[in-house]
Amino acid sequence: MQPLKIYNTLSREKELFTPINVPHVGMYVCGPTVYNYVHLGNVRTFLTFDILNRYLTHIGYKVRYVRNITDVGHLVGDGDEGEDKIGKMAKLEKLEPMEIVQRYTNDFHKVLEQFNLLPPSIEPSATGHIVEQIETTKSLIDKGLAYESQGSVYFDIARYNAEGGNYGKLSGRVLEDLLTETRDLDGVGEKRNPLDFALWKKAAPEHLMRWTSPWGDGFPGWHLECTCMSTKYLGDTFDIHGGGMDLKFPHHECEIAQAKGANGVEPVRYWMHSNMLTVNGQKMSKSLGNSFLPAELFAGSHPLLEQAFSPMTVRFFMLQSQYRSTLDFSNDALKAAQKGYKRLINGLRIVKNLEYIADDAIAVDEKQVSEVEKGIQNCYDGLNDDLNTAVAIAGLFNLVKKINQLYMGQVQTAQLGESTFTLLKESFVAIIENVLGLIEEPNENVEAFAKGMLSLYREYKEAKQYDKVDEIRGYFKANGLVIKDMKTKIDWAYEE
Ligand SMILES: [Zn+2]
């Protein structure tokens, strides 16, 4: 089998994945700033790393997956000036900042569960690590890489780069260009250099979220929390750091500078970034009116949506693209995904009920065996090639063809031989359920309907009342189902 390769943003190359401390893997992913409902672009990012976490576990690694909650320090505009996003929402809604944090953390967890994402191993919050952030700030001041200015503390980028730092390397930016771009920004007065970023900010009297520090009352800068929490739980250098493409600069660039400055070593071996989501070819944004929430998608309640789409349909849809390509939401693409998902789930329903039938009169057919092995191989080759779920899904559809042939009796299980048959069954189920996290959505209405109707169907068939039999077939069709009245235990399936 091909070994796992992942694209490293830092080297701009696909690299062989070799963890520092096999079989352990440390992975840190920047979590949400919990001041609003989670949007679909965020879901795509977290889904990407859910697949990575699942796949690494599947191939035998023990993953410590840390994904934080940003509950302080992320300012409106993503820079060093302006209100705290959570503090602003708290004032608007006349709530405590921690009520805002709780409300949207709950929403975040609920939505991720609806999409069947596994929880991380540790979910630390920024406010829970104020002490660590003050300590790291102190240590950066001691090393001469940060300075206090009017109650705030800033990271000194010129000094960092003069001492061999590589600010700009991750995002491919040149320090001189950055200086030109940022010359006119606010807050320069306090900074030696406009590019310097806040490690600690002085809290104005009206600022809600504040802590005492050696520099007076204040709050931590946004970038610092991730450095403190990742090194605390994963060590000075760990395997994988992930996030959305939009975090590459300045957030991740600043994380590298802080960590390298404080600990003297490169913090991360593999930097991974997932791409954006677009809607009908446009960037998803509130101002364009094309941004919808997961709940609106599940209810079909947004004007841009022609119908409701279930969480598993959307999950399947997102996995049809590799995480580094942009992904475009449209009704047509989602409808196609709905069909594809049902086809895959029908394959899953069937394969779980298929049993090996030994038959001495049937010889093992090498062509059939090699088709199954190739199908499974294609799935793993896709996943090993920088988590190309699109290729893995194509491989699964080839296996669905084989599963249907077995179900229809066109191929006998004995032609595969017992070991290949078991391999097909186990691999197919494991890749769909454990790696891709796609499950058959519980639909009690459908189950109850199908159960009741099938017994009627059988009665009519027994009594040779074929007009009634056809009528019931019609009811199934109207509900998007088909009767699979065959010799196996599958009674019904989704219409594809
Ligand atoms: Zn972060």
Side-chain angles (χ1 to χ4, degrees):
M1 206 201 297
Q2 297 288 319
L4 173 62
K5 283 187 175 175
I6 54 184
Y7 181 86
N8 189 349
T9 311
L10 201 59
S11 66
R12 287 158 188 76
E13 274 174 13
K14 276 185 204 171
E15 294 177 19
L16 198 65
F17 179 64
T18 45
I20 298 163
N21 184 20
V22 179
H24 301 279
V25 173
M27 171 161 93
Y28 186 90
V29 174
C30 290
T33 302
V34 282
Y35 73 106
N36 211 332
Y37 294 109
V38 61
H39 65 76
L40 281 167
N42 296 139
V43 173
R44 187 188 187 198
T45 300
F46 300 124
L47 174 60
T48 296
F49 297 100
D50 181 56
I51 298 291
L52 183 57
N53 176 30
R54 286 167 174 274
Y55 188 53
L56 290 169
T57 307
H58 177 73
I59 57 179
Y61 291 113
K62 299 195 184 317
V63 185
R64 180 180 290 172
Y65 174 19
V66 183
R67 187 186 66 208
N68 70 303
I69 292 284
T70 296
D71 55 359
V72 70
H74 193 173
L75 305 185
V76 175
D78 298 344
D80 286 341
E81 299 304 318
E83 277 186 271
D84 185 292
K85 290 187 180 193
I86 286 156
K88 183 182 176 183
M89 197 57 98
K91 279 180 197 159
L92 261 165
E93 302 203 14
K94 297 194 168 51
L95 294 170
E96 280 291 320
M98 279 301 131
E99 282 182 285
I100 296 293
V101 164
Q102 193 63 57
R103 173 187 293 177
Y104 296 112
T105 302
N106 291 348
D107 170 72
F108 174 68
H109 288 156
K110 188 180 122 199
V111 168
L112 262 47
E113 205 180 311
Q114 284 172 317
F115 281 111
N116 196 31
L117 271 72
L118 298 175
S121 331
I122 306 176
E123 192 173 51
S125 69
T127 57
H129 297 76
I130 298 292
V131 173
E132 288 84 348
Q133 294 177 82
I134 290 174
E135 285 308 312
T136 304
T137 303
K138 278 203 269 187
S139 125
L140 287 168
I141 293 175
D142 291 347
K143 291 187 165 78
L145 291 168
Y147 55 91
E148 186 194 349
S149 174
Q150 297 168 39
S152 294
V153 180
Y154 295 99
F155 188 88
D156 190 337
I157 287 182
R159 180 80 185 267
Y160 169 70
N161 267 29
E163 290 185 6
N166 53 1
Y167 192 84
K169 192 183 169 198
L170 179 73
S171 52
R173 296 179 190 221
V174 179
L175 197 58
E176 286 70 35
D177 297 349
L178 286 172
L179 289 172
T180 319
E181 281 169 31
T182 50
R183 196 181 299 146
D184 301 325
L185 290 187
D186 293 344
V188 173
E190 289 186 6
K191 299 181 184 179
R192 288 181 190 164
N193 187 311
L195 215 54
D196 294 350
F197 59 90
L199 299 171
W200 186 264
K201 283 289 283 182
K202 179 186 176 154
E206 69 277 11
H207 199 94
L208 294 174
M209 305 175 84
R210 55 202 304 136
W211 289 264
T212 52
S213 80
W215 317 285
D217 271 12
F219 56 94
W222 172 37
H223 315 303
L224 187 58
E225 55 169 290
C226 288
T227 296
C228 292
M229 295 188 279
S230 59
T231 52
K232 175 165 181 169
Y233 299 111
L234 299 172
D236 290 352
T237 301
F238 54 95
D239 297 303
I240 300 168
H241 192 313
M245 201 76 108
D246 52 334
L247 293 182
K248 222 192 290 181
F249 184 87
H251 186 57
H252 290 161
E253 202 76 73
C254 295
E255 274 190 48
I256 295 176
Q258 291 163 160
K260 217 177 151 188
N263 305 320
V265 287
E266 280 286 342
V268 176
R269 295 275 291 267
Y270 303 89
W271 280 94
M272 294 176 72
H273 293 94
S274 69
N275 213 325
M276 289 186 323
L277 207 68
T278 55
V279 181
N280 299 319
Q282 279 183 310
K283 188 177 190 269
M284 193 183 244
S285 88
K286 277 202 183 118
S287 55
L288 289 170
N290 67 357
S291 144
F292 35 79
L293 297 171
E296 292 175 307
L297 196 62
F298 304 155
S301 62
H302 190 278
L304 277 175
L305 295 167
E306 289 168 13
Q307 62 169 85
F309 295 99
S310 72
M312 281 301 117
T313 297
V314 180
R315 185 174 174 114
F316 176 85
F317 167 72
M318 289 185 176
L319 295 179
Q320 278 180 306
S321 299
Q322 203 254 1
Y323 73 93
R324 281 195 297 126
S325 18
T326 54
L327 174 64
D328 191 48
F329 251 68
S330 69
N331 283 288
D332 287 346
L334 280 164
K335 282 182 202 166
Q338 194 170 36
K339 281 189 186 161
Y341 164 69
K342 285 181 176 173
R343 232 182 113 210
L344 211 55
I345 292 302
N346 281 337
L348 194 67
R349 287 174 61 83
I350 291 170
V351 86
K352 282 185 178 175
N353 285 284
L354 278 181
E355 269 160 32
Y356 185 73
I357 301 163
D359 189 339
D360 291 343
I362 299 173
V364 170
D365 182 338
E366 288 309 325
K367 185 172 161 278
Q368 295 295 338
V369 169
S370 99
E371 279 175 13
V372 168
E373 285 172 349
K374 205 169 155 240
I376 295 168
Q377 184 68 52
N378 288 344
C379 296
Y380 283 103
D381 285 350
L383 290 163
N384 285 331
D385 183 16
D386 192 27
L387 231 52
N388 197 331
T389 47
V391 170
I393 286 175
L396 286 171
F397 279 128
N398 280 330
L399 293 175
V400 168
K401 278 183 210 152
K402 187 61 62 195
I403 289 164
N404 281 328
Q405 286 171 349
L406 289 165
Y407 171 65
M408 302 295 284
Q410 293 158 345
V411 176
Q412 305 302 318
T413 55
Q415 284 175 269
L416 298 181
E418 191 157 14
S419 61
T420 307
F421 173 78
T422 307
L423 180 74
L424 168 65
K425 195 167 168 161
E426 288 178 356
S427 308
F428 190 80
V429 174
I431 294 169
I432 293 182
E433 291 186 339
N434 303 349
V435 178
L436 299 182
L438 292 165
I439 47 172
E440 183 174 357
E441 283 174 325
N443 190 332
E444 281 160 32
N445 292 338
V446 167
E447 297 277 350
F449 164 85
K451 216 175 154 203
M453 280 290 163
L454 273 168
S455 61
L456 261 181
Y457 171 81
R458 292 203 180 101
E459 275 176 37
Y460 289 138
K461 217 174 164 191
E462 190 94 346
K464 297 192 164 48
Q465 289 180 279
Y466 294 116
D467 53 333
K468 296 249 171 67
V469 167
D470 286 345
E471 203 178 307
I472 291 185
R473 279 191 195 280
Y475 291 148
F476 269 82
K477 201 169 165 45
N479 281 279
L481 306 175
V482 284
I483 299 178
K484 293 245 177 189
D485 192 24
M486 297 274 298
K487 61 190 172 189
T488 66
K489 287 178 238 157
I490 295 289
D491 297 320
W492 59 274
Y494 296 100
E495 202 172 31
E496 287 164 10

